[in-house]
């Protein structure tokens, strides 16, 4: 088991563009362009600190991105921090993500998708957080048809999770239990610079 964890962990893999599927597991969106020859990724993030952290993670993977106010600017709830949007330019190397994650303009989970450590790392950066008694990986509230397929995909990665509805603090997948949290922690690797332990997976 240890060898398998090491092989699939984010720190054992070379960072790559395919890791950006982690944004799409969360609230990220992909938009195709030029008849599928290029695509752009965007993600609206609930907390401002996620913007610089995600931009830095994308730069590690050779993808430049910018962080700023969402378009259109949404009014945050009273007492809440304003959201931030991360956006890439249109790029040809993002076209495969659009091809796999879009069907008739709607976001879908690719058939046979299993998130490896790099994908989980960016998913945690995009929408992960601790809510006792477990770690939550946020889902896209505007793409409910992706929720159950992503739960199944996470289970195929050895991380069975409970699907939380908006009424119970979601939409999100909640990972609980010492062994599962240990596996998630090993897969995502150490917290990036500037990311607090309270928001990063740990056993």
């Amino acid at each position: 088991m240890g060898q398998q964890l090491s092989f699939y962990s984010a720190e054992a893999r070379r960072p790559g563009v395919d890791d950006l599927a982690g944004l799409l597991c969360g609230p990220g969106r992909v938009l195709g362009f030029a008849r599928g020859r290029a695509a752009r990724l965007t993600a609206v993030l609930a907390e401002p600190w996620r913007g610089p952290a995600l931009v830095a993670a994308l730069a590690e993977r050779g993808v430049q991105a910018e962080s700023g106010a969402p378009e259109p600017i949404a009014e945050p709830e009273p007492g809440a921090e304003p959201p931030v949007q991360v956006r890439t330019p249109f790029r040809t190397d993002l076209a495969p993500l659009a091809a796999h994650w879009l069907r008739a303009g709607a976001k879908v989970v690719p058939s046979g998708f299993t998130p490896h450590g790099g994908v989980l790392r960016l998913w945690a950066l995009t929408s992960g957080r601790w809510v006792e008694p477990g770690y939550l990986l946020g889902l896209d509230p505007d793409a409910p048809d992706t929720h159950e397929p992503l739960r199944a995909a996470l289970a195929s990665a050895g991380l069975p999770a409970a699907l939380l509805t908006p009424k119970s603090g979601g939409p999100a997948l909640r990972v609980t239990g010492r062994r599962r949290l240990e596996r998630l922690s090993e897969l995502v690797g150490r917290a990036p610079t500037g990311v607090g332990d309270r928001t990063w997976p740990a056993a």
Side-chain angles (χ1 to χ4, degrees), residues 8 13 16-26 28 41 96-103 107-124 137-139 145-159 173 187:
Y8 287 108
R13 298 174 59 91
V17 172
D18 65 321
D19 296 346
L20 274 63
L23 280 71
L24 301 174
C25 294
L41 282 178
L97 283 173
H100 293 147
W101 284 82
L102 285 180
R103 292 290 183 275
K107 186 163 78 168
V108 298
V109 179
S111 176
F113 173 68
T114 299
H116 55 66
V119 171
L120 291 167
R121 185 173 179 84
L122 292 195
W123 192 354
L137 291 163
L139 299 168
D145 289 344
T146 65
H147 297 176
E148 181 58 34
L150 283 170
R151 187 199 64 77
L154 201 60
S156 71
L159 292 167
L173 295 172
L187 285 170

Side-chain angles (χ1 to χ4, degrees), residues 40-54:
R40 156 186 284 172
L41 282 178
T42 61
V44 176
L45 312 171
E47 296 90 10
W49 66 262
R50 296 184 189 271
L54 193 54

Side-chain angles (χ1 to χ4, degrees), residues 46-48 75-83:
E47 296 90 10
E75 287 292 331
E77 296 181 4
E81 296 181 283

Side-chain angles (χ1 to χ4, degrees), residues 31-94:
L31 176 65
F33 180 70
R35 296 185 179 181
R37 292 193 294 270
R40 156 186 284 172
L41 282 178
T42 61
V44 176
L45 312 171
E47 296 90 10
W49 66 262
R50 296 184 189 271
L54 193 54
V55 167
L58 297 188
E60 280 186 279
R61 289 151 178 84
V63 177
Q64 299 305 309
E66 59 181 12
S67 176
E71 299 176 356
I73 298 175
E75 287 292 331
E77 296 181 4
E81 296 181 283
V84 63
Q85 183 184 61
V86 167
R87 182 175 65 179
T88 74
F90 284 103
R91 297 170 56 103
T92 57
D93 58 354
L94 298 181

